[in-house]
Amino acid sequence: MVEELVAAGVTLVSAGAVYVMAAARVVKQYERGVVFRLGKLRPDVRGPGFTMIVPGVDKLRKVNMQIVTMPVPGQEGITRDNVTVRVDAVVYFKVTSPAEAVVRVEDYRFAVAQMAQTSLRSIIGKSELDDLLSNREKLNQGLELMIDSPAVEWGVTIDRVEIKDVSLPETMKRSMARQAEADRERRARVINADAELQASKKLAEAAKEMSEQPAALQLRLLQTVVAVAAEKNSTLVLPFPVELLRFLERAAPAPQQSLQEQRPPLRPRLDPDPGGANSGQD
């Protein structure tokens, strides 16, 4: 009798252990458990920790409640100003209602990915190239609203959407580079013209001041000569008044005559024997 009781107790304990092992479940802190009993959803969602289900009757499905980072593959499209671009994005979302995420959609991750790709192509077609390059914050908000509208019914909330990169054709890149270069050249010319205008006004004021004091012009000339003479690799050409040259020319003494002009003229030699024999030799 005792042996039968011991055997029954051991059997009961073994069965209980097997039941506990089959029914025991552990839900992690970042997960929630959705229980289906005979295919019907139970209203209570199991929280993190140890929980029990009925083996063979209940089925526990765990849902991750963390924020999911999902990259959106690059989508090609034509903008409103007829430019072909390729845009990449990333979507941050999380599950807010585990029961709806399991019941309402077969695979909420796949559904969010497809909705993000469709919305991204729609945003490309409605936007211009300048908006994609410089006004991304507004496009991100619009893209977030387009994805979040159907995702709310699936128990999913879109936390953030960011456009990562916009790829342009090489021809468009060269055109934009030429446009930027032309714009910078235009600004450089405007700045140079403005500088010339300001310099001309200052020079006009300086000329007005120098006209009242003629000595100031001579001082300015001497300053210019000193500045140029500091560089030894330059040739200095100093202007000289013509009136001063004429004054020096009038004040200079008459030039002395040369020795040939001062020498007396030669006298003709008198021949003592005009009819002699040496006359022919002369």
Side-chain angles (χ1 to χ4, degrees):
M1 186 67 180
V2 177
E3 294 179 355
E4 293 179 355
L5 292 176
V6 172
V10 171
T11 303
L12 184 61
V13 171
S14 299
V18 171
Y19 177 82
V20 171
M21 292 178 62
R25 296 289 187 275
V26 176
V27 180
K28 298 179 181 179
Q29 181 66 37
Y30 55 86
E31 294 178 338
R32 297 295 182 271
V34 180
V35 179
F36 292 90
R37 178 165 295 177
L38 297 177
K40 187 177 181 180
L41 178 66
R42 298 290 297 173
D44 56 332
V45 177
R46 306 295 174 88
F50 181 80
T51 185
M52 297 286 290
I53 62 174
V54 179
V57 178
D58 294 345
K59 183 179 180 180
L60 179 66
R61 184 170 177 179
K62 300 177 182 179
V63 180
N64 193 338
M65 302 295 291
Q66 291 177 316
I67 296 178
V68 180
T69 303
M70 177 178 294
V72 181
Q75 302 296 315
E76 293 186 358
I78 300 177
T79 61
R80 193 165 59 180
D81 50 353
N82 298 326
V83 179
T84 303
V85 295
R86 183 180 179 88
V87 182
D88 299 336
V90 59
V91 180
Y92 302 89
F93 67 93
K94 62 181 179 180
V95 177
T96 55
S97 178
E100 293 182 357
V102 174
V103 174
R104 288 184 175 272
V105 62
E106 180 180 3
D107 187 353
Y108 65 90
R109 290 175 178 266
F110 181 75
V112 171
Q114 295 300 315
M115 180 57 65
Q117 296 179 24
T118 305
S119 302
L120 183 58
R121 285 194 296 268
S122 179
I123 284 291
I124 293 174
K126 294 179 181 179
S127 305
E128 295 183 356
L129 180 60
D130 293 339
D131 295 334
L132 290 174
L133 297 177
S134 60
N135 197 12
R136 293 187 181 181
E137 193 66 29
K138 183 178 179 181
L139 296 180
N140 293 337
Q141 295 177 0
L143 189 59
E144 180 180 348
L145 291 176
M146 293 180 65
I147 302 175
D148 190 59
S149 297
V152 172
E153 300 179 358
W154 306 335
V156 178
T157 300
I158 305 300
D159 187 72
R160 190 176 182 86
V161 181
E162 292 287 345
I163 295 177
K164 293 194 302 182
D165 186 24
V166 179
S167 300
L168 300 176
E170 293 298 329
T171 55
M172 180 57 63
K173 291 182 181 179
R174 290 194 293 268
S175 299
M176 294 177 66
R178 290 195 298 268
Q179 179 183 359
E181 184 179 358
D183 183 67
R184 289 184 177 276
E185 184 177 358
R186 178 185 62 83
R187 288 190 296 176
R189 290 184 178 181
V190 171
I191 293 174
N192 190 16
D194 190 15
E196 292 290 341
L197 177 60
Q198 295 179 7
S200 63
K201 291 181 179 180
K202 294 298 181 181
L203 289 175
E205 295 178 1
K208 183 178 179 181
E209 292 293 334
M210 289 183 180
S211 62
E212 297 177 358
Q213 299 291 336
L217 184 60
Q218 298 294 332
L219 294 176
R220 181 57 183 156
L221 177 60
L222 294 177
Q223 291 178 359
T224 304
V225 171
V226 172
V228 175
E231 299 181 1
K232 298 181 180 181
N233 57 351
S234 302
T235 302
L236 180 61
V237 179
L238 183 63
F240 208 75
V242 180
E243 291 78 5
L244 183 58
L245 292 177
R246 292 177 180 176
F247 174 76
L248 294 176
E249 184 180 357
R250 290 194 299 267
Q256 298 180 358
Q257 296 180 354
S258 60
L259 296 177
Q260 294 181 357
E261 294 178 354
Q262 295 179 3
R263 183 180 300 174
L266 298 176
R267 295 180 180 179
R269 187 181 64 179
L270 298 178
D271 191 359
D273 188 10
N278 297 329
S279 62
Q281 296 178 0
D282 294 334

